[in-house]
Amino acid sequence: MGTEKSMLISDIKRVVEQISRDKGIDRNILFKALEEALRSAAKKKLGNKTDIEVQYSEETGEIEVFQFKEVVETVMDPELEISYEEGRKLDPECEFGDSLGTKMDTTTFGRIAAQAAKQVIIQKMKDAEKDAVYAGYIDRKGEIINGIVQRFDRGDIVVNLGNTEGILPRREQVPRESYRRGDRIRAYIFDVLHDTKGPQILLSRTHPNFLITLFKTEVPEISEGIVTIMGAAREPGSRAKFAVASSDSDIDPVGACVGMKGSRVQNVVQELRGEKIDIIPWHVDAAKYVCNALAPADISRVIIDEQSRAMDVIVPDDSLSVAIGKRGQNVRLASKLTGWHLDVKSESTYKQDMKDGYDSLLSLPNMSTGLADALYEKGFNTADEVAASSVEELQQVWDLSVADTEALIEGAQAYVLNRGKDAEKSAGDEPPAESSPGSGSTMTEEGSPQSEGDTETRDQGDGTPEPVA
């Protein structure tokens, strides 16, 4: 046993260099770790108070251990002190207070040192392998990877990636997609974490970038930089909208993504297991972009509010259900894709709203038809807008004194307040009315529709009306 321990310590240079070469671990890291392991073993053998120094010797190729003791006149603690007489034997020139080091036989540490050194090497090998895996995947963040379903862990899917495992969390799985152990699976690497247990490769099949990356692999024009992806929005497993633009006027970005007889887009749809994809031509004009995103619905008019980044989209009555989409899906995805708050209304509803707004202006105290028309033309379409305006804004519309303008605003505020009280009273006296389908839908990026209809999926064109400011 003693010979085996001696070989472990004395032949450490050859062992370390072999491991360093095979596993790609810096030899200095291994030597430092072994020095610490031997220091710990020596302290366990000789006591924690012992002054121990461990260092690797390039000359001998061994890790040497030195025990230091202070030269004193009277030895009170043999672990830390040495007499002057004993010190003179080690160093004839020593004086009181000097610290003398003696080289120790590493085999005296016994099994503890051998086991500690072995454990250090094993642990460093494991750490190096984890670091190598992390380094190999951190640069692959944003790629699509192939794997095999290995097992299931509380709803998460553990995917075998070859040299490591990836996690497809439940929240990143497409609803109604099911897998069994051994199935092949493709997923998007959306994050790589350096956890204490090892690298965590997090996968997703619901991320919008999964759709984008699939198109990048299918459409050479995207890789070449001719076609640019301007955005994507998904309701995983159901429907997606995908906006593209072209830097070459001779290249149709939508046609490039669709491919010959739809071959390119169908490959993506097949990978997404039937998820419908609308390919949208991006436009620098926000109103036209929104119209493209809402297609195949016909758009009659777009009213833009730049300040609140909102649009009122007016469609013919027979196009309302198409614009809104099944369970509000079309307008919801269009809002996510474009980043605009969209309020879709039918023409009849819009006209009625305009009439009600104009009538509310005429209902205000001391309101004339001429003043109402002037306010309407300047964008003050309802009593609510007058109530929320300032004196300076209204004086730019009509030549009124400050006192008359303030009276107009106060009258509008009183009208809005009384109307609200009447509405609350009416709601308390009458049973709730059923919502009438087809009136319209308001949608933000995170919102839910107020009404619904059905729609079809197809590639979009660019025949859109000019916006109405």
Side-chain angles (χ1 to χ4, degrees):
M1 177 66 76
T3 304
E4 181 182 346
K5 296 166 197 167
S6 177
M7 285 179 64
L8 173 67
I9 302 302
S10 61
D11 205 24
I12 199 69
K13 182 178 181 179
R14 182 184 60 80
V15 175
V16 165
E17 288 184 346
Q18 181 179 345
I19 294 173
S20 175
R21 184 173 56 253
D22 294 346
K23 299 295 182 180
I25 309 174
D26 187 345
R27 60 195 295 271
N28 292 325
I29 294 177
L30 284 173
F31 281 129
K32 291 290 184 185
L34 288 170
E35 287 172 6
E36 187 59 38
L38 278 175
R39 185 181 294 108
S40 175
K43 283 185 175 292
K44 286 181 181 178
K45 179 74 173 180
L46 304 173
N48 283 328
K49 294 190 298 179
T50 308
D51 186 3
I52 298 293
E53 183 177 305
V54 183
Q55 62 185 26
Y56 171 70
S57 172
E58 286 281 358
E59 295 179 3
T60 63
E62 297 179 13
I63 294 180
E64 298 175 334
V65 181
F66 295 89
Q67 181 179 11
F68 286 85
K69 295 182 179 182
E70 183 181 354
V71 179
V72 296
E73 186 175 356
T74 305
V75 176
M76 303 295 293
D77 189 344
E79 291 184 6
L80 301 174
E81 299 170 341
I82 187 173
S83 67
Y84 181 73
E85 290 75 15
E86 291 295 325
R88 290 292 297 270
K89 294 177 183 178
L90 297 174
D91 183 0
E93 299 179 0
C94 74
E95 298 177 0
F96 289 113
D98 287 350
S99 182
L100 299 180
T102 56
K103 184 178 178 180
M104 305 182 68
D105 183 359
T106 52
T107 60
T108 60
F109 302 145
R111 182 177 54 83
I112 297 176
Q115 190 65 26
K118 180 182 177 182
Q119 289 299 324
V120 164
I121 292 175
I122 292 173
Q123 186 59 46
K124 286 297 175 182
M125 286 169 58
K126 289 180 180 178
D127 291 344
E129 288 173 355
K130 290 177 184 178
D131 291 342
V133 170
Y134 177 79
Y137 281 92
I138 189 62
D139 293 333
R140 298 184 66 183
K141 187 176 175 180
E143 292 183 9
I144 290 177
I145 196 166
N146 297 311
I148 297 175
V149 176
Q150 186 163 309
R151 65 180 186 277
F152 302 89
D153 183 12
R154 290 174 292 186
D156 299 343
I157 299 177
V158 179
V159 181
N160 185 345
L161 302 177
N163 58 342
T164 188
E165 294 178 346
I167 305 296
L168 182 63
R170 183 196 294 252
R171 66 180 181 276
E172 301 296 333
Q173 299 171 28
V174 176
R176 296 182 296 278
E177 274 191 0
S178 61
Y179 293 92
R180 293 179 297 180
R181 185 177 178 183
D183 286 351
R184 293 190 175 274
I185 189 170
R186 293 180 77 191
Y188 174 78
I189 302 175
F190 75 92
D191 206 358
V192 180
L193 305 177
H194 205 329
D195 195 83
T196 53
K197 297 179 181 178
Q200 294 285 317
I201 292 94
L202 300 179
L203 309 176
S204 174
R205 282 184 60 84
T206 63
H207 203 289
N209 285 348
F210 183 44
L211 172 69
I212 290 173
T213 310
L214 285 172
F215 269 104
K216 285 181 179 178
T217 61
E218 293 291 337
V219 183
E221 290 85 349
I222 295 176
S223 303
E224 295 167 5
I226 300 171
V227 174
T228 305
I229 300 165
M230 305 305 294
R234 293 180 65 195
E235 293 196 354
S238 178
R239 189 174 182 182
K241 287 185 182 288
F242 182 75
V244 289
S246 174
S247 59
D248 187 341
S249 58
D250 294 331
I251 301 294
D252 173 22
V254 174
C257 293
V258 172
M260 187 71 69
K261 296 182 181 180
S263 59
R264 293 174 177 175
V265 71
Q266 282 305 316
N267 288 339
V268 176
V269 170
Q270 185 175 359
E271 175 58 43
L272 298 178
R273 301 196 176 187
E275 186 173 312
K276 295 178 180 178
I277 301 172
D278 297 344
I279 304 177
I280 311 294
W282 179 84
H283 201 286
V284 67
D285 185 288
K288 290 184 178 181
Y289 184 29
V290 165
C291 291
N292 291 347
L294 285 171
D298 295 326
I299 310 298
S300 302
R301 188 176 308 162
V302 176
I303 299 133
I304 303 174
D305 183 353
E306 291 279 0
Q307 187 172 359
S308 59
R309 199 168 173 77
M311 291 189 194
D312 287 341
V313 182
I314 315 306
V315 300
D317 288 16
D318 57 359
S319 290
L320 181 65
S321 61
V322 176
I324 294 172
K326 190 176 182 180
R327 292 187 294 275
Q329 188 180 67
N330 194 51
V331 66
R332 187 164 58 247
L333 283 172
S335 180
K336 287 181 180 179
L337 181 67
T338 61
W340 284 78
H341 175 107
L342 303 181
D343 187 358
V344 179
K345 297 179 181 179
S346 64
E347 285 185 339
S348 59
T349 301
Y350 174 70
K351 290 176 181 177
Q352 185 61 47
D353 288 346
M354 293 296 100
K355 182 179 182 303
D356 292 345
Y358 185 76
D359 290 344
S360 71
L361 291 176
L362 291 175
S363 300
L364 299 180
N366 302 319
M367 176 64 69
S368 65
T369 305
L371 177 55
D373 290 343
L375 288 168
Y376 203 83
E377 288 177 6
K378 293 296 184 179
F380 296 93
N381 299 326
T382 65
D384 301 67
E385 293 175 4
V386 174
S389 63
S390 65
V391 172
E392 292 76 13
E393 290 174 330
L394 292 185
Q395 283 188 315
Q396 294 177 5
V397 177
W398 198 259
D399 186 16
L400 293 174
S401 66
V402 174
D404 289 342
T405 306
E406 290 176 346
L408 178 61
I409 294 174
E410 290 173 1
Q413 291 172 344
Y415 172 86
V416 172
L417 182 62
N418 291 331
R419 186 189 60 193
K421 290 180 179 179
D422 292 341
E424 289 180 5
K425 182 179 179 182
S426 176
D429 295 340
E430 298 179 6
E434 295 182 3
S435 60
S436 58
S439 59
S441 176
T442 301
M443 185 59 57
T444 64
E445 291 188 42
E446 301 298 331
S448 298
Q450 295 174 334
S451 59
E452 60 185 55
D454 294 322
T455 186
E456 298 178 357
T457 303
R458 68 182 70 173
D459 301 327
Q460 314 302 327
D462 193 17
T464 53
E466 292 294 329
V468 178

